[in-house]
Amino acid sequence: MPFLAEAELLGGDDGLDRVVSDASVAARNFGVVDLPMSAVLVLDGSELRTDTYQIDIALRRLAEAGGSALVVVAVASPIGVATARLANKLRIPLVALPVGDALSVCDQIREIVLTPGGGLSRLLMGSLDALRRSTDSSGIVGALNAVTELLDASAALVGLEGSVVAGMPLAPPLADRDRLPVPMTGQLGRVVQVTHPIILAPREKPSFWLVVRRGDATAMWTEAAADVLQVAAWAVGTRLVAERLQRERDARFRLGVLNAITASGDHAEPALLEQIGVLGWHVGGWCTGLYVQVAGDVDHVRVLALTDDLTRALASNGFSGQLIERPDGWSFWTSNPSEPATSTYREVVGRLRRSVQRFEHTHSNVRL
């Protein structure tokens, strides 16, 4: 709960698993009157300017009444070690808030405990507004930032091969068994993980997954996270579809220009030269063409998704230039001012092999 962000747990750690059923404000004499079972008692600490012994009294009465926790708001004097030890002995969590109003804090706790549906509805409405604003201004990264803020958790967008495309790094990475076409909630040690698939077209398998993780997640947070991710998946999916259409259009244009180059004679048409210039391709001199093919069944969506990763793997071994997506792989070329020596063939093949091995090391499900 955001209003507890500045709260400090002073004692009673062993009682943190107590169920909270209600909340009540302590009377002016710091007594406990008709406290519901398993309730949180909220105490106004602004009047405790000289001594905090009343907190000890409230802790004992709270324990006798079967209460769950004591929250002291706007503490005027430091709460001593003896009081914290008493909270430990009674197994009553003692929480201090530096600022705030006791009635407001009590009201917010009661709202969460007694009417969680209302809080969840406000969270979802806030999600719609935050995601609308973020996707308009900052795209996918903005949407992930909105999810991170709304859920107070680490959020990431994971791609087809399990690598993080945007957002927070995931350690450990999203496992193969969690990349399913249905929403999933699971446990990674003491961390709760919620995932939601993003399907960009009907009858397609998921291309991306939204993932959030939190270490102190409650059942209520897990339910809220699943609903927020469902809303976020629509916003992120819309932007991903737009990016995919742009990529597919650019890929078709690049492949068309490449086909025109290979079909041209010694003197290319002016229109083709203009297209080559627009793309910034270097085609002068002696060109050595290379073709990388994906083994097994493959679709153009996967080729598009892997282009950036393969570009980085090739760049690490000295290959630069534009990759051109084909239905089952990629084409590219190197150029030299004059015809290279025949011995360079072996060197080029070696660098290409090292690039492929580097790529496959991070993409265990792909063979080139």
Side-chain angles (χ1 to χ4, degrees):
M1 292 178 275
F3 68 93
L4 289 177
E6 301 298 323
E8 182 181 4
L9 179 66
L10 302 179
D13 303 46
D14 289 344
L16 285 176
D17 59 350
R18 290 176 180 268
V19 174
V20 176
S21 62
D22 205 340
S24 181
V25 177
R28 291 189 63 83
N29 63 353
F30 308 105
V32 179
V33 180
D34 297 329
L35 185 73
M37 182 65 70
S38 302
V40 168
L41 183 65
V42 182
L43 190 151
D44 184 2
S46 62
E47 299 184 18
L48 306 177
R49 300 187 181 279
T50 58
D51 202 335
T52 59
Y53 73 91
Q54 296 96 330
I55 297 179
D56 296 8
I57 297 174
L59 281 170
R60 293 187 182 279
R61 292 179 177 175
L62 187 62
E64 294 171 358
S68 290
L70 177 64
V71 178
V72 184
V73 181
V75 185
S77 298
I79 299 175
V81 176
T83 302
R85 288 174 177 169
L86 177 61
N88 289 333
K89 178 181 178 180
L90 298 174
R91 295 184 63 251
I92 298 291
L94 173 61
V95 178
L97 275 170
V99 295
D101 175 74
L103 288 175
S104 175
V105 170
C106 180
D107 183 59
Q108 292 182 77
I109 294 176
R110 295 195 81 211
E111 183 179 44
I112 292 293
V113 173
L114 300 179
T115 58
L120 183 58
S121 297
R122 278 192 302 277
L123 178 62
L124 290 176
M125 292 303 294
S127 302
L128 288 171
D129 184 56
L131 290 166
R132 177 187 60 79
R133 287 185 283 106
S134 66
T135 51
D136 286 348
S137 61
S138 54
I140 293 171
V141 173
L144 292 175
N145 290 340
V147 171
T148 297
E149 184 175 348
L150 287 163
L151 297 176
D152 191 21
S154 300
L157 179 68
V158 173
L160 199 61
E161 305 301 324
S163 57
V164 173
V165 176
M168 301 292 290
L170 295 179
L174 186 66
D176 291 351
R177 65 176 180 276
D178 294 327
R179 298 201 297 273
L180 298 175
V182 294
M184 294 284 293
T185 299
Q187 198 85 18
L188 300 175
R190 303 181 69 176
V191 175
V192 171
Q193 173 180 278
V194 182
T195 64
H196 197 288
I198 297 179
I199 300 174
L200 301 184
R203 295 182 296 278
E204 273 191 6
K205 295 180 179 180
S207 303
F208 299 89
W209 287 263
L210 281 175
V211 183
V212 291
R213 290 176 178 174
R214 180 164 171 161
D216 57 351
T218 62
M220 179 180 171
W221 178 89
T222 304
E223 179 184 355
D227 290 337
V228 169
L229 285 193
Q230 183 173 359
V231 175
W234 297 332
V236 174
T238 300
R239 181 56 60 95
L240 289 171
V241 166
E243 289 185 0
R244 174 164 143 183
L245 291 174
Q246 180 69 33
R247 276 176 170 260
E248 289 179 342
R249 186 182 67 182
D250 293 345
R252 285 195 298 270
F253 176 64
R254 289 193 295 268
L255 184 57
V257 175
L258 176 64
N259 291 335
I261 291 173
T262 55
S264 65
D266 292 338
H267 301 285
E269 295 292 330
L272 177 57
L273 294 175
E274 179 185 354
Q275 292 173 332
I276 293 172
V278 168
L279 291 169
W281 288 356
H282 298 286
V283 295
W286 185 278
C287 294
T288 302
L290 300 102
Y291 175 37
V292 179
Q293 186 179 35
V294 181
D297 295 332
V298 66
D299 58 68
H300 73 286
V301 173
R302 196 176 197 193
V303 171
L304 288 171
L306 295 174
T307 297
D308 291 341
D309 292 347
L310 182 58
T311 298
R312 286 189 288 269
L314 291 167
S316 68
N317 286 282
F319 291 109
S320 60
Q322 180 71 60
L323 282 183
I324 302 167
E325 296 91 344
R326 307 177 74 96
D328 59 351
W330 302 264
S331 287
F332 65 105
W333 64 88
T334 64
S335 59
N336 294 278
S338 58
E339 181 178 356
T342 56
S343 59
T344 61
Y345 174 80
R346 182 189 301 273
E347 184 263 337
V348 169
V349 171
R351 286 194 291 134
L352 182 59
R353 181 177 292 114
R354 289 193 295 274
S355 300
V356 167
Q357 291 172 344
R358 175 176 179 142
F359 177 87
E360 291 181 343
H361 179 71
T362 56
H363 298 77
S364 58
N365 297 327
V366 183
R367 289 290 175 266
L368 304 181

